[in-house]
């Protein structure tokens, strides 16, 4: 006699809640728990490549900044390699390529320092343009949102990127492009994320 299988039900999703910062970014919430926070400098001090700053806002459907957002970012190094235990020799000592930041509680601004990543080989053998992967959570978001940040000064690489070219509408592709500006001798890329509305950022179902 065959035993009847009991299938478990999917755990219901829920929003991040008001205590997400205490648990995942305690320093920003005023708790001195870790010796080193996970955000701020994603690449580490020894990484080669062009030093950049990435910053922006997360904007809701009525155009207001969301002030309780957490973002996680992960990226390749300047040579296009990710930090991975199976390939420790592919990146510089101390390069993490991953970090976690939250928005400013008063202004909604978020930002981090890193190096500009290089092109990355995709799984299908196609070269992907330099990009940073972003994951966004906040109160009111049931499932974390995945998107990518591409660079405005990489037009040729962007035009051939296989992920960007999955997006049919040209104006929607532009929501993934961070704009480069020079400020006080430093390179800054501005990337505002729109959760809803006409300029809603493209999010990926992965």
């Amino acid at each position: 006699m065959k035993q009847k299988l009991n299938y478990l039900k999917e755990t219901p999703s829920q929003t991040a809640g008001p205590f997400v910062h205490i648990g995942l970014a305690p320093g920003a919430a005023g708790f001195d728990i870790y010796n080193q926070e996970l955000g701020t400098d994603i690449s580490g001090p020894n990484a080669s490549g062009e030093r950049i700053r990435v910053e922006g806002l997360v904007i809701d459907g009525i155009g207001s900044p969301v002030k309780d957002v957490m973002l996680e970012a992960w990226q390749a190094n300047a040579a296009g390699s990710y930090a991975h235990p199976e390939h420790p020799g592919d990146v510089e000592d101390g390069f993490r390529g991953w970090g976690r930041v939250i928005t400013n509680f008063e202004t909604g601004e978020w930002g981090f320092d890193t190096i500009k990543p290089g092109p990355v080989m995709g799984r299908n053998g196609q070269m992907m343009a330099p990009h940073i992967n972003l994951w966004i959570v906040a109160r009111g978001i049931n499932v974390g949102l995945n998107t990518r940040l591409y660079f405005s000064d990489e037009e040729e690489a962007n035009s051939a990127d296989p992920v960007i070219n999955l997006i049919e509408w040209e104006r929607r592709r532009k929501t993934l492009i961070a704009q480069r500006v020079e400020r006080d001798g430093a390179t800054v890329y501005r990337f505002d994320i729109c959760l809803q509305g006409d300029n809603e950022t493209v999010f990926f179902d992965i």
Side-chain angles (χ1 to χ4, degrees):
M1 180 177 179
K2 292 184 178 180
Q3 185 178 2
K4 183 179 179 181
L5 297 177
N6 294 319
Y7 293 97
L8 299 177
K9 295 182 179 180
E10 181 180 358
T11 302
S13 62
Q14 63 183 32
T15 64
F19 304 113
V20 64
H21 306 111
I22 297 175
L24 298 177
F31 294 89
D32 186 13
I33 298 175
Y34 302 133
N35 292 330
Q36 182 180 359
E37 288 286 330
L38 297 175
T40 308
D41 185 355
I42 290 178
S43 61
N46 299 320
S48 60
E50 180 185 8
R51 288 274 164 181
I52 64 172
R53 179 165 179 79
V54 178
E55 60 188 26
L57 292 169
V58 177
I59 302 169
D60 66 17
I62 62 173
S64 299
V66 184
K67 300 177 182 180
D68 61 349
V69 181
M70 186 187 74
L71 302 95
E72 290 186 354
W74 64 103
Q75 65 167 89
N77 66 0
S81 296
Y82 283 92
H84 194 282
E86 293 184 2
H87 308 284
D90 291 348
V91 297
E92 302 90 343
D93 180 39
F95 177 82
R96 294 195 312 269
W98 183 86
R100 178 185 291 150
V101 296
I102 67 169
T103 51
N104 182 284
F105 295 136
E106 295 184 1
T107 66
E109 288 275 348
W110 60 270
F112 56 83
D113 299 308
T114 186
I115 54 99
K116 188 177 180 182
V120 177
M121 183 64 68
R123 294 180 180 177
N124 58 1
Q126 287 184 280
M127 189 64 73
M128 295 185 290
H131 64 274
I132 298 176
N133 304 287
L134 295 172
W135 184 66
I136 303 108
V137 293
R139 282 182 288 178
I141 299 177
N142 287 328
V143 179
L145 302 174
N146 294 278
T147 191
R148 280 186 173 187
L149 177 160
Y150 290 86
F151 301 92
S152 61
D153 53 341
E154 297 284 350
E155 292 184 11
E156 183 176 352
N158 292 342
S159 66
D161 182 86
V163 175
I164 290 180
N165 281 298
L166 291 173
I167 305 167
E168 182 178 0
W169 293 347
E170 184 71 26
R171 69 178 183 86
R172 298 280 285 136
R173 298 179 185 182
K174 294 179 180 179
T175 67
L176 300 181
I177 309 299
Q179 299 302 315
R180 177 175 179 139
V181 297
E182 301 296 328
R183 188 175 68 206
D184 299 328
T187 299
V188 179
Y189 286 93
R190 181 77 188 187
F191 189 65
D192 291 332
I193 300 167
C194 295
L195 300 178
Q196 293 177 312
D198 293 338
N199 296 317
E200 180 182 329
T201 299
V202 171
F203 300 108
F204 298 102
D205 185 10
I206 59 175

